[in-house]
Amino acid sequence: MSVKTWKKIISIFVIILILSLAILTLFLGIGYFRYEKLLNAPTTVDLTTYGYTDSESLSKLFKYLKEVDADETISYQSKYEHLNIDNDFNFTADTDEKVCYLTFDDGPNKDVTPEILDILDRYNVKATFFVIYRDNEEEKKLYKRIINEGHTIGIHSASHNYTKIYASVDAYLDDFCKISDHVEALTGSKPEIFRFPGGSVNSYNKAIYQRIIAEMTRRGYVYYDWNYSSGDAESANISPSEITDNVLKYNLDSSKMIVLCHDGPGHQNTAKALPDVIEGLLAQGYTLKALDNTVSPICFGY
């Protein structure tokens, strides 16, 4: 083909490419605009600001959600009536006292959780465990042990399958009910706090997290995110020293730490790091406690 013909072909290709990009940008813009509308509308209620028992704020949020999705119902409010608690949380004002709340997600695990519990007992430290569903006999006993040794149990997830859990509010409640009933049957205690798999705002739940937060809050539950991470979720090969450094290196001026750790399968290095983590926090002047109904949550902004 001649040079002239090639120039025509290239010109046509460039025009098609530009038009394709323009159309793609338009569609993405429309989707982004709707998502931004959902996040930034003036009637959207930020529960991290208003608190967890403000019925007026919750009413505003439910009204807004109905307006955004007028064709959808919120029939899930009538599901699992036993998943309601008498919320007796009375958050105390944060002070300059240096307090650290170690939290462990994804357990109990027969190889990791007992070691962590042994270490906590040795240092007389209480912690919080956000648990998933385990039904083998060895791990079922660990739910009870956590409670008996003075630690706090919160709900994390039954399946820990993000796609399944965040398919809808109904799906979230189905998953929550399974693990909550499991824990209550094994320990005699109904958990009152929870942690979202992936945190309260993530790429899997961005379309429905406001609905879930509103519904769980309406039922009396309180959720906790974190402001420090041990880093043990990011890499399976993270070393005990790296975990220790992640917890200790930036917190000298922080009066309140909620630290994300894990005691699920493969997290033996978290257990190995725990003595140095505890000793380092104590040396920095922290008191180590379990979460309870006086601790105001740290929640991701949205």
Side-chain angles (χ1 to χ4, degrees), residues 85-151:
I85 62 170
D86 293 327
N87 187 311
D88 59 352
F89 282 73
N90 184 18
F91 304 138
T92 58
D94 292 334
T95 67
D96 292 334
E97 178 190 5
K98 298 176 73 171
V99 182
C100 177
Y101 303 92
L102 294 175
T103 67
F104 298 90
D105 291 8
D106 298 356
N109 173 261
K110 62 183 179 62
D111 298 317
V112 180
T113 307
E115 187 175 355
I116 286 177
L117 288 170
D118 289 343
I119 294 168
L120 293 172
D121 182 63
R122 188 161 75 239
Y123 285 92
N124 194 28
V125 166
K126 306 305 178 187
T128 305
F129 293 80
F130 291 101
V131 299
I132 66 174
Y133 188 93
R134 302 289 189 190
D135 63 356
N136 68 71
E137 291 305 315
E138 191 172 357
E139 289 172 334
K140 282 163 66 173
K141 294 176 182 177
L142 291 172
Y143 297 102
K144 187 75 170 179
R145 180 180 171 187
I146 290 169
I147 294 288
N148 288 345
E149 294 185 6
H151 306 290

Side-chain angles (χ1 to χ4, degrees), residues 53-64:
T53 57
D54 187 331
S55 58
E56 180 181 354
S57 299
L58 286 174
S59 296
K60 289 180 181 178
L61 179 53
F62 279 122
K63 179 181 178 182
Y64 173 62

Side-chain angles (χ1 to χ4, degrees), residues 160-180:
H160 211 267
N161 182 328
Y162 288 21
T163 302
K164 180 180 178 181
I165 296 166
Y166 296 129
S168 65
V169 180
D170 289 272
Y172 184 85
L173 289 173
D174 292 343
D175 182 272
F176 191 96
C177 183
K178 180 177 180 179
I179 178 60
S180 180

Side-chain angles (χ1 to χ4, degrees), residues 185-198:
L186 292 171
T187 67
S189 176
K190 182 193 290 287
E192 297 186 347
I193 67 173
F194 69 103
R195 171 171 287 163
F196 286 94

Side-chain angles (χ1 to χ4, degrees), residues 75-85 169-181 190 215-216 218-219 221:
S75 59
Y76 52 75
Q77 288 189 350
S78 62
K79 294 184 69 172
Y80 304 122
E81 292 186 1
H82 67 288
L83 285 184
N84 288 276
I85 62 170
V169 180
D170 289 272
Y172 184 85
L173 289 173
D174 292 343
D175 182 272
F176 191 96
C177 183
K178 180 177 180 179
I179 178 60
S180 180
D181 288 353
K190 182 193 290 287
E215 177 60 12
M216 296 305 292
R218 185 187 70 82
R219 292 171 180 259
Y221 293 92

